[in-house]
């Protein structure tokens, strides 16, 4: 049962014409996400993770079938306690909000959160990833998930990039959007910030002369700089790197997918820091 405090505040909605539903559906558009400074995350686990990590929830939407589900009702109570709105909707409304035939039972609308570039102050063996003009939401989401998985500290988006708060990107992060700080910068802002970077900037390049496995990454902050899917790293960014490394390939493929290359690099850079732990 929803806690007493939440009971009176759950609105039931059955119509797609409801203005709140219209506003949530409009979050599919970047312009509207930016206007509202909001975005949508699907699934109970993601919403719980986000609340646990202190993200601000504006609205919780849950399907009628979630009524009576203890976990859903707990999240509803947390949303009300945080000053958010709770909507109980029909499956049809939820499918329209998520644009999916078989939607998750729960959707949360959260405030966007960006980290200021000036607040990224690497120390110790911190690892960051900078992505130049990343275009593909699946690639960005997968990179954020991998950055989270290896314990790297954050991602810097350089130039005109895909939106980390799009539905596709958030889905691909599998919740890591809430765990990984994301900053954005123009190329000029990035190059200025890079001058103060206290460790090694390793760029990945198909023309890199150095095998990525031959570089000592441990014991200092590392910034991995990854190029755009079509064009790779532009000259100005390649020139700011301490090392330009390459992942050797066999076969006919010209290059690796951006997210795969980032994953390969991250596991090498973090090799000494990662151990199999008994999580039980
Ligand atoms: N046509 C692009 C080019 O000429 O660079 C291909 C870009 S690739 C799809 C996207 C990014 O992934 C590259 O800019 C680089 O950062 C990284 N990458 C992919 N394969 C790589 C490899 N074998 N060695 C180093 N970096 C690689």
């Amino acid at each position: 049962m929803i806690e007493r405090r939440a009971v009176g505040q759950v609105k039931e909605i059955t119509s797609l014409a409801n203005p709140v539903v219209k506003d949530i559906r409009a979050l599919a558009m970047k312009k509207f996400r930016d206007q509202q400074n909001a975005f949508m995350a699907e699934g109970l686990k993601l919403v719980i993770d986000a609340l646990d990590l202190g993200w601000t929830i504006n609205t919780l939407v849950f399907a009628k079938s979630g009524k009576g589900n203890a976990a859903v009702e707990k999240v509803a109570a947390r949303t009300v306690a945080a000053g958010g709105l709770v909507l109980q909707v029909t499956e049809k409304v939820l499918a329209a909000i998520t644009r999916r035939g078989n939607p998750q039972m729960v959707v949360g609308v959260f405030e966007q959160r960006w980290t200021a570039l000036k607040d990224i102050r690497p120390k110790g063996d911190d690892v960051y990833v900078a992505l130049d003009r990343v275009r593909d939401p699946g690639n960005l989401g997968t990179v954020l998930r991998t950055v989270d998985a290896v314990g790297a500290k954050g991602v810097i988006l350089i130039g005109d990039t895909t939106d980390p708060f799009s539905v596709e990107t958030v889905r691909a992060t599998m919740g890591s959007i809430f765990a990984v700080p994301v900053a954005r910068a123009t190329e000029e802002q990035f190059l200025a910030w890079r001058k103060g970077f206290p460790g090694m900037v390793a760029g990945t390049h198909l023309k890199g002369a150095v095998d990525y496995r031959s570089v000592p990454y441990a014991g200092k902050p590392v910034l991995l700089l990854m190029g755009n899917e079509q064009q790779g790293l532009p000259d100005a960014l390649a020139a700011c790197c301490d090392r330009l490394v390459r992942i050797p390939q066999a076969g006919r493929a010209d290059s690796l997918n951006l997210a795969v290359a980032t994953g390969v690099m991250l596991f090498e850079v973090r090799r000494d820091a990662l151990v199999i732990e008994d999580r039980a």
Side-chain angles (χ1 to χ4, degrees):
M1 286 250 309
I2 294 178
E3 280 174 20
R4 264 173 175 274
R5 204 167 21 169
V7 171
Q9 313 205 27
V10 176
K11 283 198 170 71
E12 282 194 43
I13 296 181
T14 54
S15 166
L16 290 177
N18 180 286
V20 184
V21 170
K22 281 187 168 172
D23 278 358
I24 297 175
R25 292 190 72 196
L27 291 174
M29 289 174 283
K30 177 165 170 24
K31 188 176 148 206
F32 203 79
R33 284 196 296 277
D34 289 349
Q35 267 172 18
Q36 299 296 312
N37 190 36
F39 70 107
M40 199 168 80
E42 302 155 292
L44 185 59
K45 182 189 173 297
L46 256 68
V47 171
I48 294 171
D49 285 353
L51 291 173
D52 287 349
L53 288 167
W55 286 65
T56 304
I57 189 160
N58 294 341
T59 308
L60 178 81
V61 185
F62 69 92
K64 266 185 172 166
S65 57
K67 206 173 172 190
N69 175 317
V72 172
E73 299 202 336
K74 195 166 173 200
V75 165
R78 288 179 77 180
T79 304
V80 171
L85 185 67
V86 180
L87 308 178
Q88 181 189 304
V89 302
T90 57
E91 307 287 340
K92 190 182 78 181
V93 170
L94 202 60
I97 285 175
T98 58
R99 291 160 208 267
R100 282 192 156 189
N102 58 340
Q104 298 265 0
M105 204 181 0
V106 168
V107 165
V109 176
F110 291 89
E111 261 178 30
Q112 293 187 17
R113 189 187 285 175
W114 292 90
T115 295
L117 189 61
K118 66 174 173 45
D119 292 336
I120 297 189
R121 300 195 192 98
K123 56 182 181 341
D125 60 356
D126 288 354
V127 175
Y128 286 86
V129 173
L131 300 173
D132 172 44
R133 295 164 300 149
V134 55
R135 303 303 313 167
D136 183 84
N139 277 345
L140 176 54
T142 306
V143 168
L144 286 165
R145 184 178 176 184
T146 312
V147 161
D148 184 16
V150 301
K153 298 293 180 189
V155 170
I156 301 164
L157 302 177
I158 307 171
D160 187 16
T161 70
T162 195
D163 183 6
F165 298 111
S166 73
V167 173
E168 298 84 355
T169 306
V170 172
R171 265 181 204 153
T173 71
M174 297 292 287
S176 294
I177 186 70
F178 297 113
V180 176
V182 179
R184 56 188 160 180
T186 62
E187 190 177 295
E188 294 68 36
Q189 288 167 338
F190 172 79
L191 287 170
W193 174 85
R194 180 267 172 272
K195 286 186 184 141
F197 189 82
M200 181 205 295
V201 179
T204 52
H205 206 292
L206 299 183
K207 294 193 182 126
V210 180
D211 185 318
Y212 77 109
R213 295 165 295 189
S214 67
V215 175
Y217 302 102
K220 54 184 161 306
V222 173
L223 176 69
L224 263 188
L225 185 45
M226 308 297 300
N228 163 270
E229 289 98 333
Q230 269 79 46
Q231 290 144 16
L233 278 182
D235 292 345
L237 291 182
C240 85
C241 296
D242 298 309
R243 298 289 188 108
L244 278 184
V245 302
R246 179 155 39 125
I247 305 166
Q249 295 181 210
R252 286 176 52 84
D254 290 338
S255 63
L256 296 168
N257 161 275
L258 168 64
V260 170
T262 309
V264 169
M265 287 301 304
L266 279 173
F267 276 90
E268 181 64 18
V269 172
R270 294 279 294 155
R271 173 199 282 262
D272 295 345
L274 296 171
V275 288
I276 299 281
E277 275 173 10
D278 187 1
R279 288 196 182 192

